[in-house]
Structures are given as C-alpha cells and as structure tokens.
Amino acid sequence: MPHVLSKSVTAIPSMDKYANRLRKRLDVLKEMADYAEDVNPVSAEDYALVSDWSDALRPITQHAPGIFSFPYLSPEFCKDLMLELDCMDYVVNEAEPEEAQIPELVLMHHCPSLHECLRSLWHDAGVTLAKVLFGQDPQYLRTIQAAKYNPENTPHGHWHADNDSDVTMVVALTNDHEGGGTKVHLGPFSKHVVVPQLPVGHAMFFNGKAMRHYGMPVTSGERNLLVHWGEIK
Ligand SMILES: O=C(O)CCC(=O)C(=O)O
Ligand SMILES: [Fe+2]
C-alpha cells in the first residue's frame, strides 16, 4: 500500500534538508568533485592546510582509509522522516539467515515520492562526496532502505557485504538507544574498525561491496537507519 505523507514538504528535495555544516560547504565540495573528475582524484597534495578545500573537508571524519562519516541530513528532516517511516510496514526477509533478519523496507516500494526526494539529495551531495572522498562516481542509486535494529534482532550482528554497492551510505535517523555502531573488516593486517553510533543525520560512507561489515548489537531501545547503495558506472 503506498504511503500517504503526513507533511508534503518532507518529500521536496531542498537545501534545508542537509545538515548545516554540509550545506555551507557544498559549493566548495562540488568544485573539488569537478577537480577529481577532470584533473585527478583529490589527495592531500592538492590543497593547502589553510584553504577553502581544507575547510570543506573539516566536517568529515576518516575512521580508517576508505571509511568516513560526516553530517548529511538535518536533525529536523530526520525527525520528519521518522514520522513517515513509523507509519510504514517494516518486514524481515525470511530467506536470509536468522541473524540477518532485520525489519526493513525498500523506500521506493512504500513511498516513491520520499525515495525521489532522497535520490535528489544523493545525486547532489552523496555523489559529490563520493567523487571527493573516493574519486568515484556512484551514479546508479540501487536502493534506499530503512531498517530498525533492536536488542531482539541484533544479538550478534551478521558479517555481510552489500552486493550492488560500491558506495554504501548509512544515515543515523535516531540516537536514543544503547549500543549500535558498525564494525568493518579491513583485512588480516589490521584490527576491525568500529564506527561508533553517529549523531542523528550523520552518515557513514564506505565501500560496502569490498569491505565486509555488520551492525553491532543494540542493547536497549531502537536504532533507525537509512541505507543507500550506490554503484559506479
Ligand atoms: O547497521 C549498520 O551499521 C550497517 C547496516 C548495513 O550494513 C546494511 O544495511 O547493509
Ligand atoms: Fe551492509
């Protein structure tokens, strides 16, 4: 059953839906993305320590090479998203192993207008960040899914790779639970990286196809996520 929105503006792609710190720097990040495409992928040699480019990168945290987080959506928009998502039916995929059965929904199937809004934001800002951080253009947005983690469905976590996703973006929609965060495998010469539970609206950004990972147990409350899968040409 298609979802009817409670607030129409929630489905309009507009600049106020970005986190402030990202919105202010988006123009410079786009300049960097163009440079990454036309000249060469951006490295630390391409800009001075005190410059617009270094300021544009300031809100971005590198948890390990290839694993980043940054403020993406505004907390107000996340609240509005939760208002809509809480009225939709999350279901588990019975075909998956039990430890992977997290209630989720594919936004495109439940609410195409909200999918379209988030798709526009992805093409505007998500792809820009992928060009800057990875030198890659994940122009095919494969899916946007919402997921609900709780203590019952996440006792151990489940190592997996995201099949069609060169760039996975996991956005925290709530942060009033205990536990959570994401563990990522980096190979036998490194320890696993743990990206802790992020503030509301912050996104984790990494190669979900190449790096196996899992959502860590939620010990109390409910953790809500928005997962984007992007594929390069
Ligand atoms: O729970 C997380 O932090 C990661 C979510 C995830 O890997 C996925 O939905 O594919
Ligand atoms: Fe994943």
Side-chain angles (χ1 to χ4, degrees):
M1 191 77 88
H3 172 72
V4 175
L5 292 163
S6 23
K7 270 169 73 176
S8 54
V9 287
T10 308
I12 298 175
S14 52
M15 295 299 284
D16 58 331
K17 293 188 163 57
Y18 292 128
N20 271 334
R21 288 199 296 152
L22 175 65
R23 190 181 62 235
K24 281 197 284 194
R25 293 168 169 92
L26 201 50
D27 284 344
V28 178
L29 287 165
K30 284 181 182 172
E31 185 188 306
M32 296 171 76
D34 288 346
Y35 177 91
E37 276 204 306
D38 302 341
V39 186
N40 55 243
V42 177
S43 78
E45 287 145 46
D46 294 309
Y47 60 92
L49 216 51
V50 180
S51 63
D52 280 3
W53 284 24
S54 124
D55 176 68
L57 294 173
R58 192 161 305 139
I60 301 168
T61 303
Q62 178 172 271
H63 298 269
I67 306 174
F68 305 95
S69 66
F70 45 78
Y72 182 62
L73 300 177
S74 76
E76 296 75 24
F77 179 44
C78 292
K79 215 169 144 191
D80 287 344
L81 281 173
M82 284 309 304
L83 199 68
E84 308 298 343
L85 289 167
D86 274 339
C87 303
M88 299 184 208
D89 288 328
Y90 285 68
V91 290
V92 298
N93 182 350
E94 307 267 353
E96 284 180 347
E98 204 170 318
E99 66 273 21
Q101 291 184 5
I102 308 286
E104 59 196 14
L105 60 83
V106 175
L107 207 54
M108 175 64 126
H109 300 157
H110 285 73
C111 189
S113 58
L114 215 43
H115 173 92
E116 263 314 294
C117 171
L118 286 158
R119 196 182 68 82
S120 298
L121 301 181
W122 163 265
H123 280 286
D124 186 48
V127 168
T128 296
L129 284 154
K131 288 178 182 171
V132 172
L133 297 173
F134 300 129
Q136 304 270 31
D137 179 1
Q139 60 175 265
Y140 299 106
L141 180 61
R142 289 297 172 207
T143 184
I144 304 176
Q145 300 199 18
K148 267 189 200 304
Y149 288 64
N150 63 39
E152 285 71 47
N153 64 30
T154 56
H156 318 295
H158 163 67
W159 281 113
H160 69 278
D162 302 338
N163 284 337
D164 304 313
S165 183
D166 296 298
V167 178
T168 292
M169 182 168 75
V170 181
V171 186
L173 291 179
T174 54
N175 186 17
D176 48 10
H177 58 276
E178 307 278 334
T182 315
K183 194 172 270 193
V184 186
H185 173 251
L186 286 182
F189 297 102
S190 306
K191 292 182 175 166
H192 298 314
V193 170
V194 173
V195 176
Q197 170 63 34
L198 298 172
V200 171
H202 283 233
M204 173 189 174
F205 209 62
F206 69 111
N207 185 328
K209 196 193 277 178
M211 296 175 186
R212 287 179 73 194
H213 56 278
Y214 71 81
M216 291 167 65
V218 169
T219 49
S220 79
E222 184 184 89
R223 175 180 181 230
N224 285 276
L225 298 177
L226 206 54
V227 183
H228 301 61
W229 286 8
E231 210 171 14
I232 58 176
K233 296 179 229 195

